[in-house]
Amino acid sequence: MWAAGPRTRAIFKSKTGLARMVTLRFKPGWSVPLLGVAASELTDRIVPLEDVWGRAGRELCGALLAARSPADVMDRVTRELALRGGQPFETASGQLTRRAVRLLEGGEFRVESVADRLGVTARHLRRAFTENVGIGPKEFARAVRLQRAVRMAATSCDWARIAADAGYYDQAHLIADFRQLVGLTPGAFFKRAGGRMTQPKRITSDFPLPVR
């Protein structure tokens, strides 16, 4: 088991020999209560859960390896996270960050505008974002915009239109962001992906925690 922080640049992975994988994505604000560390401590890092949780991480890993089905895996993880979360609580910093995330994912990419709408300074917003997301709101907005472009490109080859609809100044801006964040041009990226993007089958489970 591994704890993976947010990445400032994309990495490509090979799944050769992979039998089963379960990925849990924490919403902003839950790194400290569930992992015990701020999200910024894991930025661009992938560390064994045992290094974060100690013995509990090692024991959970053994229990999941012995699980007989994906549903059993999710049940064990759910119970462990519920125990670690203890009494449900929500920090003011985490709440602020989640509100900012909703605005950024909704298409508002200017950090100053988001801060104004939330009634805080841009500096305060950046500090809360770094603690709860691991990267700043500007970097997060760039990732959101890029992901939007990737989704659109799954059904369209009109890069100029994709750039405009995803929130870029122009096609050159989109290509520059692709190069910087992914390390490839859009065309090279989709060629590597086989010409189209597919979504893996997901198994979801509701956690008994107030994750918003």
Side-chain angles (χ1 to χ4, degrees), residues 22-41:
V22 176
T23 302
L24 303 178
R25 181 182 177 186
F26 295 152
K27 292 189 177 182
W30 281 99
S31 177
V32 172
L34 296 182
L35 293 180
V37 297
S40 57
E41 294 187 34

Side-chain angles (χ1 to χ4, degrees), residues 31-201:
S31 177
V32 172
L34 296 182
L35 293 180
V37 297
S40 57
E41 294 187 34
L42 296 174
T43 301
D44 285 322
R45 297 179 62 201
I46 302 177
V47 301
L49 185 62
E50 182 179 349
D51 289 357
V52 181
W53 280 1
R55 179 180 177 181
R58 183 170 62 253
E59 292 178 346
L60 178 59
C61 182
L64 296 184
L65 288 173
R68 295 181 176 277
S69 68
D72 189 21
V73 168
M74 293 305 301
D75 180 63
R76 290 172 184 266
V77 172
T78 298
R79 285 189 279 114
E80 182 66 29
L81 291 179
L83 289 173
R84 296 195 68 85
Q87 293 297 319
F89 70 93
E90 180 178 46
T91 65
S93 176
Q95 185 180 49
L96 172 67
T97 303
R98 277 189 285 279
R99 292 171 61 194
V101 164
R102 286 194 289 270
L103 291 175
L104 292 168
E105 290 181 335
E108 177 56 81
F109 295 128
R110 288 181 55 81
V111 176
E112 292 77 10
S113 298
V114 172
D116 286 343
R117 291 181 63 176
L118 296 178
V120 298
T121 64
R123 181 179 180 181
H124 182 81
L125 179 61
R126 284 192 290 268
R127 185 166 57 247
F129 232 88
T130 300
E131 176 186 355
N132 292 286
V133 177
I135 58 176
K138 182 178 180 180
E139 290 73 22
F140 181 84
R142 290 182 71 193
V144 168
R145 188 168 51 200
L146 185 71
Q147 290 168 353
R148 183 176 298 174
V150 168
R151 289 194 298 270
M152 292 177 179
T155 57
S156 173
C157 294
D158 187 345
W159 287 105
R161 179 61 181 270
I162 291 172
D165 290 346
Y168 291 92
Y169 295 120
D170 52 29
Q171 185 174 343
H173 184 200
L174 183 156
I175 294 174
D177 255 22
F178 241 94
R179 285 184 180 277
Q180 187 170 5
L181 298 179
V182 181
L184 300 170
T185 64
F189 172 75
F190 278 92
K191 182 178 181 180
R192 182 187 180 101
R196 63 175 182 173
M197 301 297 295
T198 58
Q199 294 294 325
K201 181 179 180 181

